[in-house]
Amino acid sequence: MPAIEVQNLSKDFGSVRAVDDVSFEVAQGEVVGFLGPNGAGKTTTMRMLTGYLPPSDGRVRIAGHDTFDEPLLARQAVGYLPETPPLYPEMKVAAYVRYVTAIKGVPRSQRRAAVERALARCGLGEVAHRVIGTLSKGYRHRVGLAQAIVHDPPVLVLDEPTVGLDPIQIQEIRQLIQEVAAPREDGRRQTVVLSTHILTEVEAICDRVILIDRGAKALDEPLASLTAGGRSLEDVFTQVTFRDRAAP
Amino acid sequence: MRALAIAARELQSFFVSPVAYVVLTLWSVLAGSFFLSSLLGFLADEAQARQLAAFGQVVETNLNDSLILPFFGSMWIVMLFLLPAMTMGLFAGEKSNGTEELLLTSPLRGWDIVLGKFCAGAAFAGLMIAIVAFFPALLFLFGDPEPGKTASGLLALFLVSLAYVAVGGFASSLTRNQLIAFMSTLVTLLVLGMLLPFIVDLGAGAGEPSALRSGLGWIATGRHTERLLTGLVDTADLAYFAIVVAAFLLLTRTSVESVRWR
């Protein structure tokens, strides 16, 4: 069973078609990069994957659960980091992550362990009792990531996880994502979908690239075959997005 | 159970923001001054009664009717202005903060969110009522007011505050701007509680009571609250508050979930 199944997904905002008939599947343990220029429909697609926005047409299955027919099970299976981390600035880091375990339905007896694991994995141990509003942007992103992984969901959706960070913070967050996606002792792997418009990011962490341009899927290939023959990802990106623009 | 987690977080954040402290301070200060002015009014009544008694006339004064009733009545008006400041952020705050996305992508039902927020508001309202209850409690130390009538007055204040929290929560769910939520709650409460009976009374002189007039009179919070304040606990009035709260919670749930089908 694929971790994510998307069939003929479309989204209209009034008369504007933001996402147009997108279909793809993501296998368990795959790390997929959503690539595309700004405004291509990446965020809208991700919002439909997480159940935040309903599709105008088509369907999404997360770990076998349809987001429309079984919304609670589908949402339970997703960890989501929106572009701006959804943080309460007045809360302390550990209390915030604990609150997230409660609303994600982690059983009471497992909450403490889940919070400690998430804080440790995201390198937040030292700031656990700091107020979120006083943290630097890099740390706030880590708290956002901790929030997304704390209930150990099979699918992680990360919307532009490194946007607005300095080069060192970008490195740290990328490393974190790689650690999260790495196979565990029990052999399970977390499926990760991340969106970005930074090409090196895709090259650094993704197994597969889905290129979205003006709402439609323009390309869907494993990274290895894309860059085979010495082509750089940048060439592919500009080629695909320009070709579309030249032939309206 | 998940609603409780939401309620607990909301209550905590009430007490991190200065708004809760400003509201509670104003509330306590106003309660103290209104209690004092009601007490002075009562003393004047009593002095007058003594004078009349000297002329052989018997006039009864009563702690509940001459002191507690006007005091509760004043606090009711104060609540109408202060509670919207507490409810304005319930949902609008989540929207402007970006945390709405966390709530709506979590495995929560609309009711979990709405009831959690309502319980937080209700708990805060309960705290306000407890502060008000302190003053009649003083009277029990130094006099003998009627416990039943006093309790019914406190119940009136609590029920009307629940209705205000439900209305305020709904207004907050409609916008991401807290100021708009505050203003629209205030206007709704003024119309619902004060202006509606006034409009009804304006037409009272002309012709016999119409179905519209008695209907509007029923919708207004004023009459139900006044009956409870004077010690008349009627199931019809209790049902009125239950209906208002339920109706606004239902509207709020629809508004919160509307993002999913818009």
Side-chain angles (χ1 to χ4, degrees):
Chain A
M1 180 180 65
I4 303 173
E5 230 182 313
V6 173
Q7 286 171 3
N8 308 99
L9 196 65
S10 297
K11 180 70 188 175
D12 299 313
F13 292 114
S15 61
V16 181
R17 178 146 273 215
V19 175
D20 187 18
D21 199 27
V22 170
S23 301
F24 59 90
E25 278 185 12
V26 180
Q28 217 155 5
E30 235 181 333
V31 180
V32 173
F34 254 43
L35 203 59
N38 287 332
K42 302 188 296 279
T43 297
T44 307
T45 309
M46 297 192 127
R47 284 181 162 172
M48 288 191 279
L49 293 185
T50 56
Y52 180 62
L53 283 179
S56 303
D57 203 1
R59 57 195 327 161
V60 176
R61 273 198 207 90
I62 306 285
H65 303 294
D66 192 293
T67 52
F68 188 77
D69 297 328
E70 300 172 299
L72 295 186
L73 288 171
R75 275 184 251 149
Q76 181 99 49
V78 180
Y80 176 38
L81 174 61
E83 196 174 333
T84 10
L87 307 173
Y88 296 94
E90 76 277 6
M91 288 182 95
K92 290 184 178 166
V93 173
Y96 167 72
V97 178
R98 188 173 172 90
Y99 164 70
V100 175
T101 60
I103 61 171
K104 298 284 181 187
V106 176
R108 191 173 282 274
S109 57
Q110 296 166 24
R111 282 182 201 162
R112 176 193 283 266
V115 171
E116 277 170 14
R117 195 183 52 228
L119 292 182
R121 282 176 86 184
C122 297
L124 288 165
E126 281 173 23
V127 297
H129 298 289
R130 290 259 308 265
V131 174
I132 293 173
T134 65
L135 295 177
S136 69
K137 201 166 179 182
Y139 267 112
R140 271 185 248 177
H141 260 74
R142 287 170 184 230
V143 179
L145 203 58
Q147 163 274 129
I149 63 171
V150 70
H151 58 301
D152 201 14
V155 174
L156 262 184
V157 177
L158 312 174
D159 193 359
E160 310 239 2
T162 56
V163 77
L165 299 181
D166 71 36
I168 296 169
Q169 292 167 332
I170 290 179
Q171 274 304 322
E172 287 171 351
I173 294 281
R174 275 185 201 162
Q175 205 172 355
L176 256 169
I177 295 170
Q178 277 170 315
E179 279 165 24
V180 165
R184 318 249 189 94
E185 291 119 40
D186 55 5
R188 281 192 314 133
R189 285 190 69 187
Q190 218 146 12
T191 309
V192 180
V193 176
L194 65 93
S195 78
T196 182
H197 54 266
I198 307 167
L199 300 171
T200 46
E201 191 152 294
V202 176
E203 281 175 303
I205 39 187
C206 298
D207 306 329
R208 192 172 128 203
V209 177
I210 295 178
L211 209 149
I212 301 213
D213 186 35
R214 281 174 294 166
K217 189 170 87 171
L219 187 128
D220 181 355
E221 267 185 66
L223 187 70
S225 74
L226 259 183
T227 49
R231 280 201 305 172
S232 79
L233 196 56
E234 203 170 350
D235 295 339
V236 180
F237 183 81
T238 37
Q239 198 183 358
V240 171
T241 48
F242 270 122
R243 183 188 59 205
D244 278 22
R245 247 149 250 187
Chain B
M1 287 312 284
R2 294 183 194 180
L4 280 184
I6 292 175
R9 197 215 64 80
E10 192 69 37
L11 262 179
Q12 279 169 2
S13 80
F14 275 166
F15 288 99
V16 176
S17 81
V19 180
Y21 294 101
V22 170
V23 166
L24 286 178
T25 308
L26 281 176
W27 178 253
S28 311
V29 169
L30 288 170
S33 12
F34 279 117
F35 183 73
L36 192 63
S37 72
S38 305
L39 188 66
L40 294 176
F42 172 73
L43 292 177
D45 278 4
E46 207 199 12
Q48 201 180 21
R50 285 224 183 96
Q51 279 179 347
L52 288 170
F55 292 106
Q57 269 183 297
V58 179
V59 181
E60 283 193 24
T61 53
N62 164 323
L63 270 177
N64 278 87
D65 292 343
S66 328
L67 205 173
I68 298 181
L69 182 65
F71 169 57
F72 283 177
S74 314
M75 294 322 287
W76 169 28
I77 311 294
V78 175
M79 186 159 66
L80 194 145
F81 287 91
L82 287 186
L83 256 189
M86 293 313 301
T87 58
M88 66 183 185
L90 283 179
F91 295 91
E94 302 269 0
K95 284 183 209 180
S96 55
N97 207 12
T99 40
E100 189 198 27
E101 215 162 337
L102 169 66
L103 282 181
L104 290 177
T105 55
S106 292
L108 295 168
R109 286 168 227 276
W111 278 123
D112 291 329
I113 303 174
V114 172
L115 288 178
K117 298 279 183 185
F118 176 72
C119 287
F124 190 85
L127 180 63
M128 290 169 76
I129 306 301
I131 292 174
V132 164
F134 168 76
F135 295 96
L138 285 178
L139 292 180
F140 278 94
L141 287 180
F142 300 107
D144 56 344
E146 290 171 60
K149 217 170 174 176
T150 313
S152 148
L154 287 172
L155 179 70
L157 283 182
F158 185 58
L159 287 179
V160 85
S161 73
L162 291 186
Y164 289 0
V165 170
V167 172
F170 174 58
S172 181
S173 75
L174 294 175
T175 170
R176 59 172 54 245
N177 184 322
Q178 302 202 10
L179 192 62
I180 293 177
F182 177 82
M183 299 304 257
S184 50
T185 309
L186 194 58
V187 170
T188 311
L189 294 184
L190 279 172
V191 171
L192 198 67
M194 312 275 145
L195 288 180
L196 214 53
F198 184 65
I199 295 165
V200 173
D201 287 342
L202 264 189
E208 66 248 38
S210 65
L212 176 70
R213 200 192 298 161
S214 59
L216 283 177
W218 186 84
I219 289 173
T221 23
R223 299 202 172 161
H224 304 277
T225 316
E226 276 160 16
R227 275 150 60 100
L228 273 167
L229 278 175
T230 53
L232 187 69
V233 183
D234 186 339
T235 341
D237 298 325
L238 300 183
Y240 165 81
F241 286 107
I243 290 170
V244 170
V245 169
F248 276 96
L249 290 185
L250 197 65
L251 284 172
T252 312
R253 192 199 67 145
T254 313
S255 152
V256 166
E257 289 193 336
S258 70
V259 71
R260 296 203 208 282
W261 40 260
R262 253 188 318 215

